[in-house]
Amino acid sequence: MLKVSLVSLGCARTLMDSEVALGGLAAQGYEVVSDVKQADVAIVNTCGFIEEAKVESIETILELCREKKKGRLGAVVVLGCLAQRYGKELGEELKEVDGIIGTNHYGDLARLLEPLKNKKKARVFEVREKPRYLLDEHSPRHSLTPPHLAYVKISEGCINACSYCVIPRMKGPHRSRTIDSVLNEIKKIAGERKLSEINLIGQDTAAFGFDRSRAFELPLLLQKIADQNLVPWVRLLYAHPGHVTDELIDAMARNETICKYVDFPIEHSHDDMLRRMNRGVSRAKMEWGIETFRKKIPGVAIRTTVIVGFPGETEEEFRDLMDFLKDARFERVGAFEFSEEEGARAYGMDGQIPKAVKRERFNAVMAQQMEISRGIHEAQIGREVEVLIDERPADEAGVFYGRTQADAPEVDGQAIVHSEKNLEQGEFVKMRVTDALEYDLIGAC
Ligand code: SF4
């Protein structure tokens, strides 16, 4: 039995692809090991989104090639977004790599890696120009998340064409799963382990179903998941503001199990910038979305992401973004410096912003947001909030780490819970907030 290990880089969507990749291999008799040094085959599921992510992927691949050279592992396979984007170049530059497999084969690795079993093997190269892969509830998964939470990918690829983004090239056009397929998968996972939270993901979850019926079917999907009532917390990530509707907000408002949380990436606030970014949404539509979420879902936490330093961004446009963030008082903000990516329409666009200016603007956004976030957290001191316990650090007696509904896993803050009780991972507790940090809450139960 061949031992396989996988390093999963990038976002939650890649993590899910990694679960399917390992699930498919385990179903075909591979043994999944967590330590790459014990593996016969080490796979890197890569990210190819922006410069920083590409560098991290390359460094990880090179590190595994060094381990292979030392005879500590058998084969190195590069999987996913970076392979999809630069398959040929990687093949030419990284001679030690044994397999380069794009984004169309997560569930099919066992067949593709078969030749690696033969020592006189030729390199495996499988990169399909237009990926069409879409998982379903029958795709075996090897969970890479703590048992009480799971990601459920409801669609693949993207319907939008933002001028700075290469994801549609790496993941292909938008394609949605069926509602039954998603419901059956949730039923399956909930049948296998005690789930406290599921996170619905895709490139643009709000466009769910549009490729099939020219209608936004996410409100219906959320209602059906809520009616299933199998999981206490259902969280929505990656909802493009242009596809958020009244029906969606109503579906979230009327169902307790749908977290009072939405990931609503604006990227910028100025209409000229939104046009140049080809975001397909106006400032007015985003303002309507924020206002309507806040009106219909009191206490909702809105997360957003912004890009600073997009080509041609004037000081005035940047000021506009800062003022917009100040007024909107988002609970959570992630910021990115524009990364010039070949293959994206913004590549080579006039008016590229110097790195130092991009960094300056990034720091300004984060500094302003830190004050906003601290204020939002301090306002909760003395209140009781619901916390989902994620872990209990072995070396800190009476301390537990968890999250409120306002914190998505991995990307947002956490709640630090002090308790004499023996709290379990996946347990919900009522925490009285006693203190607040910029991004975290502290309390007791
Ligand atoms: S919505 Fe835009 S930024 Fe997001 S994946 Fe699609 S094209 Fe890229």
Side-chain angles (χ1 to χ4, degrees), residues 13 49 157-169 171 202-204 238-241 243 265 267 277-279 307:
R13 296 160 288 208
F49 182 40
C158 193
I159 200 169
N160 309 300
C162 305
S163 58
Y164 52 84
C165 183
V166 290
I167 292 177
R169 292 169 67 96
K171 290 288 184 151
Q203 303 304 345
D204 175 1
Y238 312 115
H240 189 294
H243 304 136
E267 307 307 354
M277 288 175 159
N278 195 37
R279 282 291 288 164
I307 294 176

Side-chain angles (χ1 to χ4, degrees), residues 242-314:
H243 304 136
V244 168
T245 60
D246 250 325
E247 292 75 23
L248 174 61
I249 301 176
D250 290 340
M252 294 176 71
R254 70 174 171 266
N255 291 296
E256 272 300 304
T257 53
I258 311 294
C259 289
K260 295 182 186 315
Y261 176 96
V262 66
D263 175 16
F264 186 83
I266 64 166
E267 307 307 354
H268 210 285
S269 61
H270 197 287
D271 276 321
D272 294 350
M273 286 296 292
L274 293 170
R275 262 189 300 280
R276 295 209 297 276
M277 288 175 159
N278 195 37
R279 282 291 288 164
V281 66
S282 68
R283 179 197 184 98
K285 172 74 197 284
M286 297 194 299
E287 285 172 334
W288 167 85
I290 297 161
E291 216 176 281
T292 311
F293 269 118
R294 294 211 188 284
K295 193 173 67 202
K296 292 189 173 179
I297 310 177
V300 68
I302 306 180
R303 171 186 174 78
T304 197
T305 47
V306 297
I307 294 176
V308 296
F310 184 86
E313 185 185 48
T314 62

